[in-house]
Amino acid sequence: MRIRVTHQRITIALQLILLAEAVFAIWGQRWIPAFLTAMIIAITFFPVLFERRFRIHIPPELQLAAIAFVFASLFLGEIRDYYTRFWWWDMALHTMSGFLLGILGFLLVHIMNETEKIHVHMKPGFVAFFAFMFALGVGALWEMLEFTMDSVFGMNMQKPMLGDPSGLTDTMWDLVVDALGALVISFLGWRYIKNPDGRSFLERWIDSFIERNPRFFRR
């Protein structure tokens, strides 16, 4: 309970920072940053709305990780221009996205593996492989979206990096760190299935998800 309250307080603090930014942007008549910040605030409520709409209880650690990712990528990255100020910012966030997507992919296939409504049983190695490929596939789709937005709308989502103005180096490093993040999660997920008593952060998050969503894991 204490952990959940702590995560809720951190989430509220991030939302208050975004609200203050939106107010100052409106005060300064900077309408585009104000609109973007308002959209980011709305996105931070998605985990709670998703939880209530679909009755899928998301562990507070996962909720905070998702909100922190949105805050770091959209607010600090785009509005505060951290992508330009810090060359490693984009790589760090893509590593984090590899973690989050790997967790999502692992939970999806783990639910299918455990629920009585789906008569399949996949080996731990395949579950880990699916989580890895899921994260890498979504990462590749995102890079295709960036290329499309830059080509069609003249945006600058594929940013110059390490002296390469074309954005190719940025894209490839994004995919590399996506894969590294997903690989770590896949390994931890594989270890969890082989040894459910492990105590890594992922294993604690999975245990929390299973405990809060028992209907998905009834034999």
Side-chain angles (χ1 to χ4, degrees):
M1 185 66 178
R2 181 180 300 177
I3 294 176
R4 189 171 186 86
V5 171
T6 300
H7 285 76
Q8 287 176 342
R9 289 175 177 174
I10 296 174
T11 299
I12 292 172
L14 294 178
Q15 290 170 334
L16 288 176
I17 293 173
L18 292 169
L19 180 61
E21 175 70 21
V23 170
F24 283 123
I26 293 172
W27 183 268
Q29 297 184 349
R30 296 180 290 117
W31 306 117
I32 294 180
F35 173 76
L36 291 176
T37 306
M39 292 297 295
I40 297 170
I41 294 173
I43 292 172
T44 62
F45 287 98
F46 280 10
V48 175
L49 296 175
F50 181 85
E51 190 173 42
R52 292 179 179 176
R53 173 65 179 82
F54 297 101
R55 295 187 299 113
I56 298 176
H57 299 288
I58 305 172
E61 298 90 345
L62 272 176
Q63 290 191 34
L64 181 60
I67 291 171
F69 177 78
V70 171
F71 182 87
S73 60
L74 297 181
F75 177 66
L76 295 179
E78 295 292 347
I79 295 177
R80 290 297 183 180
D81 204 27
Y82 274 33
Y83 288 128
T84 302
R85 294 167 61 184
F86 306 104
W87 66 268
W88 48 266
W89 191 257
D90 188 44
M91 294 175 62
L93 288 177
H94 272 275
T95 303
M96 186 176 180
S97 73
F99 284 140
L100 293 175
L101 290 171
I103 293 171
L104 177 59
F106 176 83
L107 288 176
L108 286 173
V109 73
H110 190 48
I111 288 173
M112 291 190 294
N113 216 28
E114 296 295 325
T115 185
E116 60 183 8
K117 295 180 181 179
I118 302 176
H119 302 287
V120 295
H121 184 72
M122 293 164 278
K123 294 183 178 179
F126 182 83
V127 175
F129 179 72
F130 177 89
F132 175 78
M133 294 305 296
F134 177 86
L136 195 58
V138 175
L141 288 174
W142 178 258
E143 296 303 321
M144 294 169 63
L145 174 65
E146 287 189 349
F147 174 77
T148 301
M149 297 300 287
D150 289 353
S151 301
V152 177
F153 299 104
M155 298 180 68
N156 186 34
M157 298 183 71
Q158 294 177 298
K159 294 174 174 58
M161 183 180 184
L162 301 177
D164 179 11
S166 69
L168 177 61
T169 300
D170 173 62
T171 297
M172 294 311 300
W173 272 112
D174 287 349
L175 292 174
V176 168
V177 295
D178 280 343
L180 290 176
L183 185 63
V184 171
I185 295 299
S186 299
F187 171 75
L188 292 177
W190 172 83
R191 193 175 70 173
Y192 171 80
I193 298 176
K194 299 288 287 187
N195 179 26
D197 296 327
R199 289 290 89 195
S200 74
F201 75 95
L202 177 64
E203 286 148 350
R204 291 194 298 271
W205 290 7
I206 294 172
D207 285 341
S208 177
F209 183 84
I210 293 174
E211 180 181 346
R212 292 173 63 82
N213 299 276
R215 73 181 190 277
F216 293 128
F217 300 93
R218 291 174 181 165
R219 291 286 186 178

